[in-house]
Amino acid sequence: MSESGPDRPRDPLTYPVHLRLDGRTVLVVGAGRTAVRRLERLMATGARIVVVAPDAVPEIHELAAAGLLELRLRDFQPADLHGVWMVHAASEDAAQNDQVLALSRATNGNGSSRPVLVCGDEGCSNSGDLLLPAAFDLGTATVSVGTGGADFRRARDIKTVLKRQLESVSDAELVVIGADQRCLDVAALERVCREAGEERRLRGTLAALRPVDEFFILNTCNRFEVYMIAGANPIVRELVVHGMRLHTIPPDRRYVHAGRDAFVHLSLVLAGAYANLFGETAIVQQVKEALERGRNAETTGPRLERYVTEALNIARRVRQAVMTGLESREAEDLCAARLTNSRPGLDAETVLVIGTGAVGRAVVARLGNRPRKILWAFFRKAPALEGFAAERIEVIGVDRVPEVLGSSDVVIVASGAKEPILRREHAPLLAGRRALVLDLSVPRGVDPGLAGTEGLELVHLQELVTCSRPSDVPGLVRLSEESARLESYRFMKEEAVCP
């Protein structure tokens, strides 16, 4: 990495290389603090190091006593260049450094036809062959920063910032923090979602936490979660818990998973094993949409993308291993079954669907040509009707819901709004009409107080699920967990977080 100022002509670029010094002789002229800094990296290269100076600081005496370098306590002599592959002019005396550079350049004192590679100090850097970058090691990688000799201090400052940031990233792992319908009942889960406020506010809170490198927010009718790439700092995780308002519920009613446990959790969520409807597939689209929102907000990156991609592959294998043969029971299937049982005259009725997310789209698709008319209410963006029974669908803004309630026989609410869409003041529009309201939302999209409205039947998703749950969900979940953990081993080993 090199740079030049915007207001001056750019000097010829330097050519970045990493030199192999193993077994080669490197001469360091000088044994003060400058030489110590040079030796910090030279010692790790396997080079044969010779230090020449009339006196030396204690650190260099200790290295010589340990046999790690040869120390010649005298003034530099031209003969010291014999057999040398590289020279570092690193004394605290600028005049001596100039002399070393001049002699190294003037003669091939190393006894071969090849000239000595010469590196000066910062004061005479332009006279040498090499410019030492500010560098640090990160695992097997070496990161170096150079300014072409223009500003050594700036190179060190950039190196310091990069090192701090890259070390935090290298220690980071997949973390999921959240709560779902396994931990909380509907009322508690919707309270947490409502208190957390708009996703934009939570995104701003998380973006301000510098150790959090990437993240996306997943908020569905079953769960409220944040997936992130972050270090093991417990303070950061606690700040995320507070940002999500999960500190308002007991610790045993929320979860924090990291590393392999977080990846297995994500795989099981995508497999539908932790859903209200065991094995549901709508969650796949919901996760993809959450990831897309993070991508648009520039809060996700390649690591989260890769985790989600691999978790989707594992989720498919879990479904094949555990869920093959199980009857598909998505939210839209439960709606269809309820309508079949309770609305025999649906072909002559009007159905109002509120919400255009994954569940709302699936419900409209499942209804097909059955109702006489479908009113489809959107919040921000009108849905495309390609692939739907468009001739029977009228798309309206959510602001028109009170206007059409009086003519709707069935209302299906599948919104992600923080507050109920249908409230008690809407009761007169629904009273005495034998209307059916199905609420598929968490937080609830229908005020429970509407249940007492004359002639109105109000059913929440939880009631539909209870009536259709497989008989051995706990056993199926355990099998799914075992399958996901086994499938995750290979990928997490590649990520170097699995023993």
Side-chain angles (χ1 to χ4, degrees):
M1 175 179 180
S2 63
E3 61 177 44
S4 61
D7 300 324
R8 66 177 179 86
R10 188 175 183 116
D11 294 330
L13 291 176
T14 55
Y15 189 73
V17 296
H18 286 201
L19 299 175
R20 298 185 186 277
L21 300 180
D22 188 22
R24 290 171 168 156
T25 300
V26 176
L27 175 65
V28 179
V29 179
R33 293 298 163 194
T34 301
V36 170
R37 289 196 298 273
R38 301 286 178 90
L39 289 169
E40 286 177 357
R41 294 200 65 83
L42 283 173
M43 297 294 298
T45 65
R48 174 180 176 265
I49 301 172
V50 178
V51 178
V52 177
D55 51 56
V57 296
E59 293 94 324
I60 293 181
H61 277 289
E62 292 173 4
L63 292 172
L68 299 177
L69 56 80
E70 178 185 345
L71 177 59
R72 301 171 184 173
L73 289 174
R74 56 169 174 77
D75 290 331
F76 165 75
Q77 300 172 4
D80 290 322
L81 294 171
H82 182 75
V84 168
W85 197 83
M86 177 189 288
V87 175
H88 285 263
S91 79
E92 311 303 319
D93 184 342
Q96 184 181 52
N97 288 334
D98 289 337
Q99 179 193 21
V100 171
L101 291 170
L103 286 170
S104 301
R105 282 287 181 77
T107 63
N108 296 340
N110 59 7
S112 73
S113 60
R114 176 177 47 75
V116 179
L117 284 175
V118 184
C119 181
D121 71 352
E122 294 182 11
C124 57
S125 60
N126 290 332
S127 300
D129 302 305
L130 307 175
L131 295 168
L132 292 185
F136 64 94
D137 295 318
L138 190 69
T140 59
T142 297
V143 181
S144 58
V145 183
T147 60
D151 193 338
F152 288 96
R153 180 181 295 277
R154 176 150 175 76
R156 286 194 291 268
D157 289 344
I158 294 173
K159 180 209 77 171
T160 300
V161 173
L162 282 176
K163 183 179 181 183
R164 185 182 304 118
Q165 291 182 343
L166 290 175
E167 284 179 343
S168 69
V169 172
S170 66
D171 293 337
E173 59 186 344
L174 178 66
V175 179
V176 57
I177 297 176
D180 61 21
Q181 47 81 29
R182 298 171 301 152
C183 312
L184 301 174
D185 59 26
V186 173
L189 185 57
E190 69 182 7
R191 186 183 69 251
V192 169
C193 293
R194 189 175 294 117
E195 290 176 353
E198 292 296 326
E199 185 171 309
R200 184 183 305 173
R201 182 206 63 80
L202 178 56
R203 189 183 299 123
T205 299
L206 296 175
L209 298 175
R210 296 185 67 86
V212 176
D213 191 49
E214 305 175 23
F215 68 89
F216 70 85
I217 302 164
L218 180 62
N219 191 351
T220 74
C221 60
N222 287 326
R223 64 193 60 259
F224 179 39
E225 297 175 331
V226 167
Y227 290 86
M228 60 187 183
I229 304 295
N233 189 334
I235 296 177
V236 172
R237 297 182 184 183
E238 191 60 31
L239 288 173
V240 175
V241 167
H242 276 70
M244 298 175 71
R245 301 296 190 264
L246 293 180
H247 65 289
T248 61
I249 61 176
D252 62 346
R253 294 304 181 96
R254 59 181 188 252
Y255 43 80
V256 178
H257 302 310
R260 188 184 182 192
D261 289 340
F263 181 64
V264 169
H265 177 90
L266 174 59
S267 301
L268 289 164
V269 167
L270 287 165
Y274 288 160
N276 231 336
L277 293 166
F278 181 80
E280 71 165 1
T281 59
I283 185 62
V284 173
Q285 184 61 31
Q286 290 168 335
V287 170
K288 289 180 178 179
E289 290 175 353
L291 191 64
E292 180 65 22
R293 289 194 297 273
R295 194 181 296 122
N296 293 337
E298 299 182 347
T299 64
T300 60
R303 291 189 68 181
L304 271 179
E305 297 269 4
R306 184 165 184 239
Y307 275 120
V308 171
T309 299
E310 291 297 328
L312 280 167
N313 292 333
I314 290 175
R316 281 192 286 270
R317 293 196 287 272
V318 169
R319 289 181 187 277
Q320 291 170 358
V322 178
M323 303 176 191
T324 300
L326 289 180
E327 182 182 2
S328 174
R329 302 300 283 177
E330 308 289 336
E332 61 270 23
D333 297 321
L334 300 183
C335 281
R338 185 61 179 242
L339 292 175
T340 297
N341 294 332
S342 61
R343 313 297 291 196
L346 188 63
D347 57 346
E349 294 184 321
T350 296
V351 177
L352 169 62
V353 179
I354 303 175
T356 58
V359 175
R361 290 197 302 273
V363 167
V364 172
R366 191 73 167 79
L367 287 172
N369 292 317
R370 292 183 62 199
R372 179 181 64 83
K373 184 176 184 179
I374 298 175
L375 299 171
W376 196 1
F378 68 92
F379 287 84
R380 295 184 183 87
K381 184 179 179 182
L385 296 183
E386 183 178 356
F388 295 98
E391 67 280 359
R392 298 195 178 208
I393 299 174
E394 179 183 349
V395 175
I396 63 173
V398 74
D399 57 313
R400 288 189 56 199
V401 166
E403 173 189 330
V404 300
L405 271 179
S407 60
S408 300
D409 303 288
V410 176
V411 181
I412 302 173
V413 183
S415 78
K418 300 298 180 182
E419 300 293 337
I421 302 299
L422 300 186
R423 300 176 295 277
R424 296 192 184 197
E425 58 262 34
H426 295 128
L429 299 173
L430 295 164
R433 300 188 46 253
R434 204 178 143 279
L436 171 63
V437 177
L438 301 177
D439 187 2
L440 310 182
S441 307
V442 175
R444 279 175 284 204
V446 182
D447 186 336
L450 280 174
T453 302
E454 180 188 357
L456 175 68
E457 182 183 8
L458 173 59
V459 181
H460 189 265
L461 175 64
Q462 193 64 37
E463 297 175 50
L464 298 175
V465 170
T466 302
C467 297
S468 62
R469 195 185 301 272
S471 59
D472 186 25
V473 168
L476 292 171
V477 170
R478 283 195 299 273
L479 287 174
S480 300
E481 290 172 339
E482 292 170 5
S483 177
R485 187 160 289 276
L486 182 64
E487 292 282 355
S488 72
Y489 181 81
R490 175 193 56 79
F491 172 69
M492 296 306 287
K493 190 172 183 179
E494 290 175 3
E495 293 291 292
V497 296
C498 184

